[in-house]
């Protein structure tokens, strides 16, 4: 189908193919079934389709059959390598397909994937889903999309069955980039929380006991973002509210408390080292926001 020749609102398919039935792909296929779509599925491990088939999905016998069944093919795979492993042997069946690739990977891999799809006559939308399976089928959360604008607009109604949408631009790498930016924050923040729990636990404090305090600290982060964002954009790193020398002393206390408790100090020690490096560069009197520049200069020699 030549989607660029079709008015966006005219493209309302009522059938999709979902390839990849991990927890996310299963939730997506389920959301399409709930929305009344005819759903064809394929997965390397076929038994993961059992519940969906019981609900009315069709399990394609081959990848070619799954691709032939529908114009819109949602990919929910571990990474882009999995996409090539599945689709490369069936590449002749890709002509005319719209690949909605909701597999996580790097921006560069997404760009290569879009070019690879185009080489085989398919069009590619990159997606970065920002919710676990529990949020699939609602518009409470958004998925980042990038790729051809006409393609996104033509199929937005189909995409909205999965989650809300947030179109970031034509560059196929953009959705992956926005997704990885969120993942950078997500993994480091949740890991910090788990370290805090281990430290609390080593001192006889349970996860439940620490929960309200952790929630208060994490919930208050928005205020820091509001306060520091304009200063960072203005290149203003004055230490009028806090200073890097204070952060070094404070982190030293965290690392020592961690060691005294018999807990692995690797995580806070890495943060301490980062601040020490900034101090060594002469930024002791500056705000912690100076790290934005220190990080941006790249890895230390
Ligand atoms: P999983 O890794 O659990 O499963 C993804 C699918 O990839 C499975 O169907 C698996 O097949 C398939 N797969 C992996 N490698 C290959 C391969 N070499 N050949 C064929 N098939 C392969 O992922 P999720 O379902 O949890 O997530 C899907 C994507 O969504 C990932 O990119 C993830 O980063 C992202 N994501 C996940 C979230 C979550 O909470 N789970 C939240 C937001 C995004 P098989 O069943 O045979 O193993």
């Amino acid at each position: 189908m030549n989607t660029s020749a079709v008015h966006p609102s005219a493209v309302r398919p009522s059938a999709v193919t979902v390839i990849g039935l991990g927890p996310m792909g299963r939730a997506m296929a389920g959301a399409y079934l709930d929305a009344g779509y005819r759903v064809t599925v394929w997965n390397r491990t076929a038994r993961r389709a059992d519940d969906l088939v019981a609900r009315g999905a069709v399990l394609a016998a081959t990848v070619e059959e799954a691709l032939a069944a529908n114009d819109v093919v949602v990919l929910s795979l571990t990474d882009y390598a999995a996409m090539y492993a599945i689709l490369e042997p069936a590449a002749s069946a890709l002509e005319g397909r719209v690949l909605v690739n909701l597999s996580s990977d790097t921006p560069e891999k997404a760009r290569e994937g879009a070019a690879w799809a185009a080489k085989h006559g398919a069009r590619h939308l990159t997606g970065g889903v920002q919710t676990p399976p529990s949020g699939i089928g609602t518009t409470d959360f958004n998925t980042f999309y990038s790729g051809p604008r006409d393609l996104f607009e033509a199929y937005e109604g189909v995409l909205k069955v999965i989650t809300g949408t947030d179109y970031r631009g034509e560059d196929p790498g953009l959705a992956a980039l926005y997704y990885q930016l969120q993942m950078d924050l997500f993994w480091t923040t949740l890991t910090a929380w788990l370290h805090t729990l281990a430290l609390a636990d080593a001192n006889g404090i349970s996860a439940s006991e620490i929960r309200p305090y952790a929630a208060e600290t994490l919930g208050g982060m928005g205020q820091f973002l509001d306060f520091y964002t304009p200063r960072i954009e203005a290149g203003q790193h004055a230490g009028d509210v806090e200073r890097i020398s204070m952060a070094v002393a404070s982190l030293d206390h965290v690392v020592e408390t961690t060691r005294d408790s018999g807990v692995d100090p690797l995580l806070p020690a890495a943060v301490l080292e980062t601040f020490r490096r900034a101090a060594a560069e002469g930024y002791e009197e500056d705000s912690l926001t100076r790290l934005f520049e220190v990080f941006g200069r790249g890895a230390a020699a």
Side-chain angles (χ1 to χ4, degrees), residues 22-271:
M24 293 293 274
R26 290 202 299 278
M28 290 169 191
Y32 280 113
L33 287 171
D34 289 345
Y37 281 62
R38 280 178 291 112
V39 179
T40 300
V41 294
W42 186 90
N43 194 52
R44 177 179 62 178
T45 309
R47 67 180 155 73
R48 287 199 231 289
D50 288 353
D51 288 351
L52 293 163
V53 169
R55 290 170 60 190
V58 173
L59 175 62
T62 62
V63 178
E64 286 85 349
E65 200 177 296
L67 292 173
N70 296 299
D71 289 343
V72 181
V73 178
V74 174
L75 302 173
S76 178
L77 301 163
T78 307
D79 52 24
Y80 275 56
M83 172 181 78
Y84 297 122
I86 294 168
L87 297 187
E88 187 84 69
S92 59
L94 282 170
E95 179 76 35
R97 300 304 92 164
V98 173
L99 300 182
V100 179
N101 195 344
L102 303 177
S103 317
S104 165
D105 219 313
T106 67
E108 207 37 53
K109 292 272 172 55
R111 291 183 189 111
E112 288 166 12
W116 176 85
K119 199 176 78 188
H120 294 289
R123 301 188 79 196
H124 182 275
L125 278 174
T126 311
V129 188
Q130 295 187 83
T131 172
S134 56
I136 299 295
T138 78
T139 47
D140 297 345
F141 303 91
N142 280 340
T143 295
F144 295 125
Y145 287 100
S146 66
R149 180 181 287 277
D150 67 312
L151 193 62
F152 170 76
E153 288 177 351
Y155 288 94
E156 194 177 4
V158 182
L159 305 177
K160 279 199 162 140
V161 173
I162 301 174
T163 60
T165 59
D166 186 348
Y167 179 73
R168 297 284 81 213
E170 295 264 345
D171 170 3
L174 274 175
L177 177 61
Y178 274 85
Y179 178 79
Q180 296 309 338
L181 292 173
Q182 293 303 104
M183 286 300 98
D184 187 2
L185 204 51
F186 174 84
W187 287 118
T188 50
T189 305
L190 270 198
T191 308
W193 171 63
L194 292 168
H195 189 272
T196 297
L197 290 192
L199 181 54
D201 182 64
N203 288 280
I205 301 169
S206 70
S208 303
E209 283 173 292
I210 204 71
R211 201 200 65 78
Y213 301 102
E216 196 176 333
T217 300
L218 291 176
M221 286 297 162
Q223 292 169 39
F224 288 97
L225 270 57
D226 291 346
F227 177 73
Y228 285 122
T229 298
R231 290 167 70 118
I232 289 170
E233 289 189 336
Q236 213 266 72
H237 302 294
D240 55 336
V241 178
E242 39 63 41
R243 290 179 301 153
I244 282 179
S245 55
M246 179 279 288
V248 169
S250 173
L251 278 158
D252 215 18
H253 304 155
V254 175
V255 171
E256 278 308 300
T257 305
T258 304
R259 283 210 178 95
D260 291 348
S261 306
V263 170
D264 187 339
L266 177 69
L267 193 61
V271 183

